[in-house]
Each structure stands twice: as C-alpha cells, then as structure tokens.
Amino acid sequence: MSGPATQVDGPVAVVVAGPVRHPLVAGSTIRIGRDPGCDIVVNSPPASRRHVQIGADRSGAVTIRDLGSANGSFVDGRRLDEFVVGSANSSNSVRLVEVALEAGAGAAYRVDKADELDESWFEGAQTVGLTSGASVPEILVRDVIEWLQERGFPTVEVARTETESTTFALPRDLRADLKNAGMAPSRPHAPRVAGPNHTK
C-alpha cells in the first residue's frame, strides 16, 4: 500500500549527543565520528573517524547507516545492516536500467551502494547519468555522487525530464476505517476518469 508522498518541513527527529541536542531536518543528514568535520564529534577511541550517518528524506523517513566503521554501529543491540540502493528485488530499479538502455545510454548498471561501483565502467566517459528507485534513501545517492566526484566527475547538474504528479487513493477499507474513527482524510481523492480503451 502506498499513498501520496508528503513533504515534511522542519525537524523530524532530534539527535542527542551528551548535553547537546541536534535537530534532524527533512532532507538533511548528520554525520557522527571522531573527525572534526563531522556534524557531531565523538572523542571516543572505539568511534571511527566517520562512524555513522543519520539522515531524513523529504517525506520525513529517517535512515541510519554505518559509514564503514571499524567497530560497527548498533541499534537496540543489533548491528546495522546496509541500506539498499536500487535493490535487485525492486522492479522499479531494474526497470530504470532498461529505460536508460532504451533511451540510448551506452551502458547502464544497477548497484545497491557506492562501493559496488567499478571504475572500469567509467573509462572514456565524459558524462554520467544517475537516477534511483523511488524508495532509495537520499544519503545513498549522495554517496554515489561523492564517489563519482572523487574520480573526475566533479559537476552535478540536475536534469528534470518529467514532473511526476501521480497520486494514489488510500485503499477503500482504510478510508472506511479512518471515517469510522472520525479521522477521514482532509482532501478526498479526485474521482477517477476513464481513460481510452486500448484493448480493441
């Protein structure tokens, strides 16, 4: 089930480090580690220079990702797994590769994260196109951009080829449950208009 993506303005979480509180704003990240360039500097020998990153996308979804730390990052006693960028089991991500090739790209690759990129893929390339699946955390896309910038592709140019305006109605059962609970959506979905019949 998915509904329309909502944009969140302002803080979506607060990261507490000792006596200091750091608001995590939608569309931002907070890096934690011993490196003085981190947003939160932790002066503790078990912490790596760049240890962990906490990010929030524009919808307010919060992601936590270990940055290859020596000792790992843990939440509730469990070691963090890597977040997946463009997972192979995502039909959206797999289709993006096909679309790139159909549009004339010389080659197209799907990766889960930046460290899966292969420098040989970029030999002789002057321009690199980058896209991601709809649910990919923005921080993982930024990691790929940083990887490319470190290897001779310093300029990022955002190219918008299509503006998506598709919205999805809540499932009928959920709408009924919300109505019965007195929490009906403030903006009902627009009535559907029948499209052309392509079956003839």
Side-chain angles (χ1 to χ4, degrees):
M1 274 187 278
S2 65
T6 56
Q7 295 279 335
V8 176
D9 292 323
V12 296
V14 176
V15 179
V16 179
V20 182
R21 299 168 65 86
H22 300 268
L24 179 63
V25 178
S28 70
T29 59
I30 294 175
R31 288 191 182 192
I32 303 170
R34 290 193 337 256
D35 190 294
C38 288
D39 302 297
I40 299 176
V41 178
V42 179
N43 293 317
S44 174
S48 293
R49 291 183 55 76
R50 291 177 55 199
H51 198 96
V52 69
Q53 181 169 281
I54 303 171
D57 67 16
R58 292 283 176 202
S59 70
V62 176
T63 56
I64 304 171
R65 186 170 62 93
D66 186 86
L67 296 173
S69 66
N71 295 316
S73 299
F74 296 80
V75 174
D76 294 332
R78 291 186 311 188
R79 190 177 189 121
L80 289 177
D81 292 327
E82 288 291 328
F83 286 94
V84 176
V85 164
S87 176
N89 63 7
S90 162
S91 59
N92 184 5
S93 297
V94 172
R95 178 68 183 134
L96 286 171
V97 172
E98 295 169 0
V99 169
L101 293 170
E102 290 168 6
Y109 304 94
R110 185 210 47 79
V111 296
D112 286 337
K113 51 192 180 284
D115 64 6
E116 292 182 4
L117 295 166
D118 185 329
E119 290 190 35
S120 68
W121 296 344
F122 305 96
E123 290 175 6
Q126 295 180 352
T127 303
V128 175
L130 173 63
T131 189
S132 65
S135 61
V136 173
E138 187 176 334
I139 57 175
L140 297 181
V141 176
R142 283 192 209 139
D143 284 348
V144 171
I145 291 170
E146 287 177 12
W147 188 96
L148 290 167
Q149 288 175 328
E150 291 168 2
R151 288 159 180 84
F153 298 95
T155 306
V156 176
E157 180 181 324
V158 177
R160 183 177 301 277
T161 58
E162 190 78 31
T163 300
E164 295 292 334
S165 60
T166 304
T167 59
F168 299 93
L170 292 172
R172 182 175 290 145
D173 293 347
L174 182 55
R175 287 194 314 262
D177 290 346
L178 289 171
K179 184 176 181 182
N180 291 337
M183 301 176 2
S186 59
R187 289 183 351 187
H189 189 272
R192 295 179 185 251
V193 178
N197 183 350
H198 296 290
T199 60
K200 293 181 181 176

